[in-house]
Amino acid sequence: MKKLLRPFDFIAGQTAVISGIIFAILGGVLAHYLSIHFNGLFNLKYIQPQTFPFSQIAESVFVVLVLATIEFLIVRLFFKRPTRWIDYFGTSLLARIPIYIMAGLFPAFGLSEEYFVNMLNELSTNGQIPDTSNLLIFSLISLPLLVYSVYLYYHAFAVSGGIKGAKAVISFIAAIILSEIIIYLTFPALFYV
């Protein structure tokens, strides 16, 4: 149980990077076949603009590269702690595993690009909200996975930076916000063909 709650006390560095890249590849291939994209740290979306084949693997690595770099810079510049960028990168890659599990749950609930397009069309045409019970159930099941992913990102940051308490929480929140802004501004230029 301790390994689920504090996994980065047990894995870091090269082992985390190699394991994280393996999961990014598996999650990216799954997302490719489901037409889901990872255009943010916590995002699972169907994207209309064309992207290159298997871009989902690069998307996962890109969002983690941004987060790991921001976290590394925050700890180095504001806490003046000796730290290794590879630890942020590897542990953050592993913190995405619950996001990949969420992507794998889409088909089990009948969620597809066609489902969402039909739902939006019905809403805009009839002005009525269509039956979204399967989306609601998916959301309720996915919420613990999303919370766990946020926790894992935080744990990765705190352990890699060797910081804790209020300073760690505030720094983590700042890193997430700054990372999401950078990802939002750069993602289209990098991934839309």
Side-chain angles (χ1 to χ4, degrees):
M1 185 66 160
K2 188 172 183 172
K3 287 187 178 182
L4 279 176
L5 294 177
R6 302 192 55 80
F8 306 123
D9 290 345
F10 304 96
I11 185 171
Q14 264 186 318
T15 307
V17 170
I18 292 167
S19 303
I21 288 174
I22 290 168
F23 279 106
I25 291 169
L26 294 173
V29 169
L30 173 68
H32 171 78
Y33 287 108
L34 297 174
S35 300
I36 296 171
H37 291 271
F38 305 115
N39 62 331
L41 291 169
F42 308 104
N43 301 21
L44 295 168
K45 292 186 180 171
Y46 293 103
I47 300 175
Q48 287 302 319
Q50 279 297 347
T51 56
F52 54 90
F54 294 97
S55 66
Q56 294 88 340
I57 298 167
E59 293 164 6
S60 278
V61 172
F62 170 71
V63 298
V64 171
L65 279 169
V66 171
L67 178 64
T69 301
I70 298 298
E71 289 176 338
F72 174 78
L73 291 173
I74 285 173
V75 171
R76 282 289 229 182
L77 296 174
F78 296 108
F79 295 98
K80 309 280 192 234
R81 297 185 66 90
T83 185
R84 299 181 322 160
W85 178 85
I86 193 171
D87 292 329
Y88 297 94
F89 182 63
T91 54
S92 293
L93 277 171
L94 289 173
R96 292 188 60 77
I97 292 172
I99 303 294
Y100 304 138
I101 293 169
M102 286 170 53
L105 291 175
F106 268 55
F109 292 92
L111 304 178
S112 63
E113 185 173 13
E114 182 182 341
Y115 169 84
F116 288 106
V117 168
N118 290 340
M119 183 176 69
L120 292 174
N121 285 339
E122 188 175 326
L123 182 62
S124 64
T125 306
N126 302 333
Q128 295 180 342
I129 298 174
D131 178 28
T132 56
S133 56
N134 54 343
L135 180 59
L136 178 62
I137 294 167
F138 169 80
S139 299
L140 291 173
I141 290 172
S142 295
L143 187 59
L145 291 169
L146 182 61
V147 169
Y148 186 51
S149 187
V150 172
Y151 168 76
L152 288 176
Y153 274 128
Y154 171 75
H155 184 245
F157 173 69
V159 169
S160 297
I163 55 175
K164 49 181 122 171
K167 288 180 182 180
V169 171
I170 292 167
S171 300
F172 172 72
I173 292 169
I176 292 290
I177 292 170
L178 190 54
S179 296
E180 286 287 9
I181 291 168
I182 291 169
I183 292 164
Y184 177 79
L185 295 173
T186 57
F187 191 90
L190 294 172
F191 294 101
Y192 296 162
V193 187

